[in-house]
Structures are given as C-alpha cells and as structure tokens.
Amino acid sequence: MKTYDFICIGGGSAGFNAARVAAGLGQRVAVIDGARQLGGLCILRGCMPSKTLIYAAEVLHHARHAGRFGLRVTGARADMKAVHARKKRIIADFARYRVDALTGGKFDLYRAYARFLDPHTLELSDGTKLRGRHFLIGTGSKVSVPPVPGLKEAKAWTSDDVLDLDFLPKSVLVLGGGIVACELAQYLSRMGSKVTLVQRSPNILRDHSDDASCVVQQAFRDEGIELFTDTRLQSVAADRHGATVKFHHDGKLVTRRAAHLFNALGREPNTAGLNLAAAGVKTRPDGQIIINRWQQSSTPHIYAAGDCSGPHEIVHIAIEQGILAARHAVKAKGLKPVDWSLLLNVVFTDPQLATIGRLERDLDAAGVSYLTASHPFNDHGKSILMEANYGYVKIIAEPKRGRILGAEIVGKDAGELIHAFSTALALRATVRDMLRAPWYHPTLAEIVTYPLEEIADKLAK
C-alpha cells in the first residue's frame, strides 16, 4: 500500500492547485480523479464552455440589432453545429493543458473514484488502497433534483445538456433563477429559442440586491424572455412531444408548455460516495463538508475546498482554498485565511452583474455605517454611444475617510469594470486614492469616477 504526504480527491480547480502547490513544497502527492474526462467542472462543463457560447450569442444579438447603430445586417442566424464545434475545439485546448499538467509527473495520478476506509486510508474503485498523512477533498458539485412532483421522471436537461447542444431548440422551459439559469436562458433566447423562465423567489439572482436583479429582469423581458417570479411549482410532466409545468403565480395556477425542459434549480455537493463517516468528517444535511478558516474538516488532517465545502462556488475561491490547505498542511509561515471582505462575483448575463467586497445588506446586518453613491449607464457618454443603457455603478465607502468597502456594477462589461476596485480593496484605498489615478475619456471605466467624486464631496462636508 502506497503512502503519500498529501492526497487530493478530485482534479478540478481546488484539487489540481492544491496538488501543484503541495508538490512544490516537497510533498509526495497523489491526485485521484475518476471522471470520464479530466479537467474539472470549470473547464469542461462550467465557466469556459458557457462563456464561449454566451459570447457567440452576444455577437449574434448585436448583428440582429445592428439597426440601432445605423447598420444593415441581414440574415444573421445561429449555425448551431458550427457554434458547437467551435466550443468543443476551444474547450479541448483548455482541457489538454490541464491533462498535461496532471500527467506531467509532479505527482501520481489515479484514474478512479475514492472512498474512505478510515481517517488515513482510501479504497479506490479499481481496488487500490492508499494511505495519506493529509487529504484535500475537492469533488465539486452535481445538479440537484428538488422534490417537485414529476421532475425526476421528466428527465429534464441539465446545464451539461444545454452546453452540448448542436441544434436550436424550438422552445425551452427553464426552472430556476440563479446564475446558471439566467446565463443559459438568455443564451438560448438570443440564439433563437422561445424561452420561459420560472423562478420561485420574488426576483431572479436572489443572492444579489433587488436593484441589480431588477435591471437584469427588465433586460430579459425587453428581449422577449417570458419571465415568472415569486412562483410555487406544483408539478412537472413530460412526454415525447415536450414538457408541461404547472405553478402558482399571483394567486392563479399557471400552465406553460415547451419542447424541452431545463432543470436549473441548483447544485449540491458531490460527496455522497466518499464514505465520510468512516473518516469522521462532518457534513451539513445537503452533504456540504463543514470546514474552519484553514479549510480543515472536523478531522483536522482532512481538508476540503471548492463547491463541496463552499461557502461560495467560485473558481478563484476554490483555487485560493486549495492552495491555503496545501500550505497549512506543511505548517507554512505567514498564512492568512480567505478574506471574505474581498469577495468578487460576476454574473455573465447581458447586462452583466458584478460585485466586490462588503455590500449594503452585509453592512446593515453587521450594524456598520457607510456612504453610497451611484451613477446610471444611461447618463454616461461611452455607454450611450454603445447602446448600453441598462444599469448603474454603485460604490460603498466608510463615512470618515472614505475607504472603499465594496462596489456593485450592473451593466455593460461589469465583469471587467469591477476589477477597478480589486486592488483598491486589497490595499484598503479610499475614494480619494482612486481619484488620484488617471481615467481616460471616453471609456466605460470612467463611469466609476462619478460616484467616487460624489462620496468625496460628502466627506468634504
């Protein structure tokens, strides 16, 4: 039986980066990944394929609405087989790089699934047994199927299916209003499908502010997506002709039918097959591994990172968590836990929605005072000439010195613009510090100077 200093279960963003760092620190490392394809969720079935397709849909959208710019573009339509082939080609390149890194000899790679026999022993699906001094669980998440009558039997599409389409669905019913639901609903709509989205909470993107989500909702409706919020699903049924969903909305029972059904009601930690009880690792009822600020589980030599432990399912967070676990296992000096006051989040709808740092509801809950200022995209030169009029920039700062606490942007290229605040927050900069920097005119980025100046004026008083 082989023994390793550090064993990573899962070769995705958290596991791969933990293994890379542990090996660099002189540890004997193994990575265990039994997935059909190596690469992890982000590369194969998440971030990269979805953004490849979303950008293609954005190009098509601009072509179809070229008249706004005084241009004539006729016959713009989606060639889904060509779009699909391009996505596969791009993702194959990304995956090849990850496979080369996993098989490059810096650590041992086992193409199998793992389960714990005891806190230091794993049994793999091929019968191999391994012992480890430390472990990192990075097994990610999987699509969840909530107990809606008929949903399990309907065999609805998941995000995996939508990202792999090589034809244009005539119509799609989307269940859910989170990031995946919203990004892919708009993608399908822009490609030419008739889309109906049914969301249980009062607004889509419920983890974001009402103001921001309402901007995206309005854009969806303006583009022709049929959107129902504040609903209660009653039942789902499917036959060879399509799917039917019944739900309560505004005191009425509403029925909608489409050729296809897309279940985007959320994901759950992929931990059920690990036999965590044998290792003494405690989880929440949904299977999420409970961790401390050093990524340690209830069994201290077993760490967890990424979607399987949370609290945020974001790639750069998973990487940071995996690296922290690897360094903590060797008792590296100068370690700091993940700083949640710098949390960065982007939703790739159009308009995009991006946030960083501590937002108003966080500060209100903590009883912290703050100043805010915002400026709309429809009152900014560059966004007006780009026909990018949805949304706003909002900045949140502490009221004495004006130190930046957070920012919220919903609008054109918000995912790019939000990075104007990344360094500022990390360096604890103030609004006046940011105003000392040059801001080129006319640019989209220049819009952030207006709320910065407004807060600076408030401080002067």
Side-chain angles (χ1 to χ4, degrees), residues 101-121:
L102 284 167
T103 57
K106 293 184 178 180
F107 34 75
D108 292 342
L109 175 65
Y110 292 85
R111 300 291 280 115
Y113 295 100
R115 64 190 297 272
F116 283 95
L117 295 179
D118 60 53
H120 284 280
T121 309

PDB file of all heavy atoms in Angstrom, residues 101-121:
ATOM      1  N   ALA A 101      -0.782  18.961 -17.348  1.00  0.00           N
ATOM      2  CA  ALA A 101      -0.304  19.322 -16.014  1.00  0.00           C
ATOM      3  C   ALA A 101      -0.529  18.196 -15.015  1.00  0.00           C
ATOM      4  O   ALA A 101       0.315  17.936 -14.146  1.00  0.00           O
ATOM      5  CB  ALA A 101      -0.995  20.602 -15.538  1.00  0.00           C
ATOM      6  N   LEU A 102      -1.668  17.505 -15.151  1.00  0.00           N
ATOM      7  CA  LEU A 102      -1.970  16.410 -14.232  1.00  0.00           C
ATOM      8  C   LEU A 102      -1.111  15.181 -14.485  1.00  0.00           C
ATOM      9  O   LEU A 102      -0.853  14.393 -13.572  1.00  0.00           O
ATOM     10  CB  LEU A 102      -3.453  16.034 -14.349  1.00  0.00           C
ATOM     11  CG  LEU A 102      -4.464  16.978 -13.682  1.00  0.00           C
ATOM     12  CD1 LEU A 102      -5.866  16.660 -14.139  1.00  0.00           C
ATOM     13  CD2 LEU A 102      -4.358  16.908 -12.166  1.00  0.00           C
ATOM     14  N   THR A 103      -0.690  15.001 -15.706  1.00  0.00           N
ATOM     15  CA  THR A 103       0.079  13.801 -16.053  1.00  0.00           C
ATOM     16  C   THR A 103       1.560  14.102 -16.248  1.00  0.00           C
ATOM     17  O   THR A 103       2.305  13.247 -16.741  1.00  0.00           O
ATOM     18  CB  THR A 103      -0.476  13.168 -17.343  1.00  0.00           C
ATOM     19  OG1 THR A 103      -0.436  14.141 -18.403  1.00  0.00           O
ATOM     20  CG2 THR A 103      -1.912  12.710 -17.148  1.00  0.00           C
ATOM     21  N   GLY A 104       1.998  15.281 -15.847  1.00  0.00           N
ATOM     22  CA  GLY A 104       3.374  15.701 -16.111  1.00  0.00           C
ATOM     23  C   GLY A 104       4.417  15.134 -15.173  1.00  0.00           C
ATOM     24  O   GLY A 104       5.604  15.439 -15.317  1.00  0.00           O
ATOM     25  N   GLY A 105       4.022  14.334 -14.192  1.00  0.00           N
ATOM     26  CA  GLY A 105       4.993  13.657 -13.344  1.00  0.00           C
ATOM     27  C   GLY A 105       5.309  14.340 -12.031  1.00  0.00           C
ATOM     28  O   GLY A 105       6.114  13.825 -11.243  1.00  0.00           O
ATOM     29  N   LYS A 106       4.688  15.472 -11.751  1.00  0.00           N
ATOM     30  CA  LYS A 106       4.950  16.137 -10.478  1.00  0.00           C
ATOM     31  C   LYS A 106       4.255  15.431  -9.324  1.00  0.00           C
ATOM     32  O   LYS A 106       4.619  15.614  -8.166  1.00  0.00           O
ATOM     33  CB  LYS A 106       4.510  17.597 -10.549  1.00  0.00           C
ATOM     34  CG  LYS A 106       5.338  18.440 -11.508  1.00  0.00           C
ATOM     35  CD  LYS A 106       4.910  19.890 -11.460  1.00  0.00           C
ATOM     36  CE  LYS A 106       5.766  20.759 -12.386  1.00  0.00           C
ATOM     37  NZ  LYS A 106       5.363  22.174 -12.362  1.00  0.00           N
ATOM     38  N   PHE A 107       3.235  14.642  -9.670  1.00  0.00           N
ATOM     39  CA  PHE A 107       2.533  13.843  -8.662  1.00  0.00           C
ATOM     40  C   PHE A 107       1.943  12.635  -9.360  1.00  0.00           C
ATOM     41  O   PHE A 107       1.869  12.575 -10.599  1.00  0.00           O
ATOM     42  CB  PHE A 107       1.443  14.653  -7.954  1.00  0.00           C
ATOM     43  CG  PHE A 107       0.762  15.672  -8.823  1.00  0.00           C
ATOM     44  CD1 PHE A 107      -0.165  15.293  -9.779  1.00  0.00           C
ATOM     45  CD2 PHE A 107       1.063  17.020  -8.694  1.00  0.00           C
ATOM     46  CE1 PHE A 107      -0.787  16.225 -10.589  1.00  0.00           C
ATOM     47  CE2 PHE A 107       0.444  17.960  -9.495  1.00  0.00           C
ATOM     48  CZ  PHE A 107      -0.486  17.551 -10.452  1.00  0.00           C
ATOM     49  N   ASP A 108       1.504  11.665  -8.579  1.00  0.00           N
ATOM     50  CA  ASP A 108       0.896  10.456  -9.138  1.00  0.00           C
ATOM     51  C   ASP A 108      -0.590  10.716  -9.394  1.00  0.00           C
ATOM     52  O   ASP A 108      -1.282  11.316  -8.563  1.00  0.00           O
ATOM     53  CB  ASP A 108       1.045   9.276  -8.181  1.00  0.00           C
ATOM     54  CG  ASP A 108       2.493   8.828  -8.032  1.00  0.00           C
ATOM     55  OD1 ASP A 108       3.316   9.187  -8.900  1.00  0.00           O
ATOM     56  OD2 ASP A 108       2.794   8.133  -7.037  1.00  0.00           O
ATOM     57  N   LEU A 109      -1.058  10.243 -10.534  1.00  0.00           N
ATOM     58  CA  LEU A 109      -2.468  10.410 -10.904  1.00  0.00           C
ATOM     59  C   LEU A 109      -3.139   9.046 -10.952  1.00  0.00           C
ATOM     60  O   LEU A 109      -2.676   8.137 -11.644  1.00  0.00           O
ATOM     61  CB  LEU A 109      -2.580  11.100 -12.261  1.00  0.00           C
ATOM     62  CG  LEU A 109      -4.000  11.234 -12.841  1.00  0.00           C
ATOM     63  CD1 LEU A 109      -4.851  12.151 -11.961  1.00  0.00           C
ATOM     64  CD2 LEU A 109      -3.930  11.760 -14.275  1.00  0.00           C
ATOM     65  N   TYR A 110      -4.250   8.913 -10.222  1.00  0.00           N
ATOM     66  CA  TYR A 110      -5.038   7.681 -10.216  1.00  0.00           C
ATOM     67  C   TYR A 110      -6.389   7.969 -10.871  1.00  0.00           C
ATOM     68  O   TYR A 110      -7.143   8.840 -10.400  1.00  0.00           O
ATOM     69  CB  TYR A 110      -5.257   7.184  -8.786  1.00  0.00           C
ATOM     70  CG  TYR A 110      -4.001   6.693  -8.102  1.00  0.00           C
ATOM     71  CD1 TYR A 110      -3.152   7.586  -7.452  1.00  0.00           C
ATOM     72  CD2 TYR A 110      -3.661   5.342  -8.121  1.00  0.00           C
ATOM     73  CE1 TYR A 110      -1.998   7.149  -6.824  1.00  0.00           C
ATOM     74  CE2 TYR A 110      -2.516   4.891  -7.482  1.00  0.00           C
ATOM     75  CZ  TYR A 110      -1.680   5.800  -6.849  1.00  0.00           C
ATOM     76  OH  TYR A 110      -0.531   5.353  -6.221  1.00  0.00           O
ATOM     77  N   ARG A 111      -6.682   7.250 -11.945  1.00  0.00           N
ATOM     78  CA  ARG A 111      -7.948   7.446 -12.667  1.00  0.00           C
ATOM     79  C   ARG A 111      -9.000   6.519 -12.081  1.00  0.00           C
ATOM     80  O   ARG A 111      -9.321   5.453 -12.623  1.00  0.00           O
ATOM     81  CB  ARG A 111      -7.741   7.177 -14.163  1.00  0.00           C
ATOM     82  CG  ARG A 111      -6.729   8.080 -14.801  1.00  0.00           C
ATOM     83  CD  ARG A 111      -7.227   9.547 -14.876  1.00  0.00           C
ATOM     84  NE  ARG A 111      -8.124   9.719 -16.008  1.00  0.00           N
ATOM     85  CZ  ARG A 111      -9.407  10.024 -15.905  1.00  0.00           C
ATOM     86  NH1 ARG A 111      -9.967  10.184 -14.715  1.00  0.00           N
ATOM     87  NH2 ARG A 111     -10.143  10.173 -16.979  1.00  0.00           N
ATOM     88  N   ALA A 112      -9.534   6.921 -10.939  1.00  0.00           N
ATOM     89  CA  ALA A 112     -10.502   6.094 -10.220  1.00  0.00           C
ATOM     90  C   ALA A 112     -11.281   7.002  -9.265  1.00  0.00           C
ATOM     91  O   ALA A 112     -10.976   8.195  -9.120  1.00  0.00           O
ATOM     92  CB  ALA A 112      -9.792   4.986  -9.440  1.00  0.00           C
ATOM     93  N   TYR A 113     -12.280   6.424  -8.624  1.00  0.00           N
ATOM     94  CA  TYR A 113     -13.018   7.120  -7.570  1.00  0.00           C
ATOM     95  C   TYR A 113     -12.526   6.611  -6.217  1.00  0.00           C
ATOM     96  O   TYR A 113     -12.001   5.499  -6.113  1.00  0.00           O
ATOM     97  CB  TYR A 113     -14.519   6.896  -7.708  1.00  0.00           C
ATOM     98  CG  TYR A 113     -15.103   7.501  -8.957  1.00  0.00           C
ATOM     99  CD1 TYR A 113     -15.360   6.717 -10.080  1.00  0.00           C
ATOM    100  CD2 TYR A 113     -15.368   8.856  -9.030  1.00  0.00           C
ATOM    101  CE1 TYR A 113     -15.880   7.276 -11.246  1.00  0.00           C
ATOM    102  CE2 TYR A 113     -15.899   9.432 -10.189  1.00  0.00           C
ATOM    103  CZ  TYR A 113     -16.135   8.633 -11.287  1.00  0.00           C
ATOM    104  OH  TYR A 113     -16.636   9.195 -12.430  1.00  0.00           O
ATOM    105  N   ALA A 114     -12.705   7.437  -5.180  1.00  0.00           N
ATOM    106  CA  ALA A 114     -12.174   7.088  -3.859  1.00  0.00           C
ATOM    107  C   ALA A 114     -13.253   7.122  -2.795  1.00  0.00           C
ATOM    108  O   ALA A 114     -14.222   7.885  -2.894  1.00  0.00           O
ATOM    109  CB  ALA A 114     -11.051   8.059  -3.490  1.00  0.00           C
ATOM    110  N   ARG A 115     -13.046   6.286  -1.792  1.00  0.00           N
ATOM    111  CA  ARG A 115     -13.881   6.326  -0.587  1.00  0.00           C
ATOM    112  C   ARG A 115     -12.989   6.032   0.604  1.00  0.00           C
ATOM    113  O   ARG A 115     -12.010   5.285   0.503  1.00  0.00           O
ATOM    114  CB  ARG A 115     -15.035   5.312  -0.671  1.00  0.00           C
ATOM    115  CG  ARG A 115     -14.595   3.874  -0.729  1.00  0.00           C
ATOM    116  CD  ARG A 115     -15.768   2.938  -1.068  1.00  0.00           C
ATOM    117  NE  ARG A 115     -16.803   2.974  -0.054  1.00  0.00           N
ATOM    118  CZ  ARG A 115     -16.817   2.206   1.025  1.00  0.00           C
ATOM    119  NH1 ARG A 115     -15.816   1.332   1.253  1.00  0.00           N
ATOM    120  NH2 ARG A 115     -17.806   2.283   1.889  1.00  0.00           N
ATOM    121  N   PHE A 116     -13.315   6.641   1.746  1.00  0.00           N
ATOM    122  CA  PHE A 116     -12.523   6.442   2.958  1.00  0.00           C
ATOM    123  C   PHE A 116     -12.867   5.110   3.610  1.00  0.00           C
ATOM    124  O   PHE A 116     -14.044   4.739   3.722  1.00  0.00           O
ATOM    125  CB  PHE A 116     -12.775   7.575   3.951  1.00  0.00           C
ATOM    126  CG  PHE A 116     -12.071   8.859   3.605  1.00  0.00           C
ATOM    127  CD1 PHE A 116     -12.732   9.849   2.888  1.00  0.00           C
ATOM    128  CD2 PHE A 116     -10.755   9.076   3.985  1.00  0.00           C
ATOM    129  CE1 PHE A 116     -12.096  11.039   2.568  1.00  0.00           C
ATOM    130  CE2 PHE A 116     -10.100  10.258   3.669  1.00  0.00           C
ATOM    131  CZ  PHE A 116     -10.772  11.248   2.952  1.00  0.00           C
ATOM    132  N   LEU A 117     -11.823   4.416   4.053  1.00  0.00           N
ATOM    133  CA  LEU A 117     -11.997   3.241   4.908  1.00  0.00           C
ATOM    134  C   LEU A 117     -11.804   3.606   6.367  1.00  0.00           C
ATOM    135  O   LEU A 117     -12.430   3.024   7.260  1.00  0.00           O
ATOM    136  CB  LEU A 117     -11.000   2.140   4.514  1.00  0.00           C
ATOM    137  CG  LEU A 117     -11.175   1.530   3.124  1.00  0.00           C
ATOM    138  CD1 LEU A 117     -10.107   0.468   2.881  1.00  0.00           C
ATOM    139  CD2 LEU A 117     -12.569   0.924   2.969  1.00  0.00           C
ATOM    140  N   ASP A 118     -10.905   4.564   6.603  1.00  0.00           N
ATOM    141  CA  ASP A 118     -10.667   5.132   7.924  1.00  0.00           C
ATOM    142  C   ASP A 118     -10.042   6.513   7.687  1.00  0.00           C
ATOM    143  O   ASP A 118      -9.820   6.904   6.536  1.00  0.00           O
ATOM    144  CB  ASP A 118      -9.774   4.219   8.784  1.00  0.00           C
ATOM    145  CG  ASP A 118      -8.407   3.984   8.177  1.00  0.00           C
ATOM    146  OD1 ASP A 118      -7.717   4.975   7.855  1.00  0.00           O
ATOM    147  OD2 ASP A 118      -8.003   2.809   8.051  1.00  0.00           O
ATOM    148  N   PRO A 119      -9.737   7.270   8.728  1.00  0.00           N
ATOM    149  CA  PRO A 119      -9.258   8.640   8.520  1.00  0.00           C
ATOM    150  C   PRO A 119      -7.976   8.776   7.711  1.00  0.00           C
ATOM    151  O   PRO A 119      -7.665   9.881   7.236  1.00  0.00           O
ATOM    152  CB  PRO A 119      -9.066   9.155   9.947  1.00  0.00           C
ATOM    153  CG  PRO A 119     -10.042   8.372  10.764  1.00  0.00           C
ATOM    154  CD  PRO A 119     -10.032   7.009  10.156  1.00  0.00           C
ATOM    155  N   HIS A 120      -7.211   7.698   7.539  1.00  0.00           N
ATOM    156  CA  HIS A 120      -5.957   7.796   6.786  1.00  0.00           C
ATOM    157  C   HIS A 120      -5.888   6.845   5.586  1.00  0.00           C
ATOM    158  O   HIS A 120      -4.850   6.786   4.923  1.00  0.00           O
ATOM    159  CB  HIS A 120      -4.766   7.516   7.717  1.00  0.00           C
ATOM    160  CG  HIS A 120      -4.444   8.660   8.637  1.00  0.00           C
ATOM    161  ND1 HIS A 120      -3.721   9.752   8.231  1.00  0.00           N
ATOM    162  CD2 HIS A 120      -4.769   8.866   9.943  1.00  0.00           C
ATOM    163  CE1 HIS A 120      -3.601  10.600   9.245  1.00  0.00           C
ATOM    164  NE2 HIS A 120      -4.225  10.083  10.294  1.00  0.00           N
ATOM    165  N   THR A 121      -6.969   6.113   5.303  1.00  0.00           N
ATOM    166  CA  THR A 121      -6.917   5.107   4.250  1.00  0.00           C
ATOM    167  C   THR A 121      -8.058   5.294   3.250  1.00  0.00           C
ATOM    168  O   THR A 121      -9.217   5.480   3.640  1.00  0.00           O
ATOM    169  CB  THR A 121      -6.998   3.687   4.835  1.00  0.00           C
ATOM    170  OG1 THR A 121      -6.025   3.544   5.872  1.00  0.00           O
ATOM    171  CG2 THR A 121      -6.747   2.643   3.750  1.00  0.00           C
TER     172      THR A 121
END
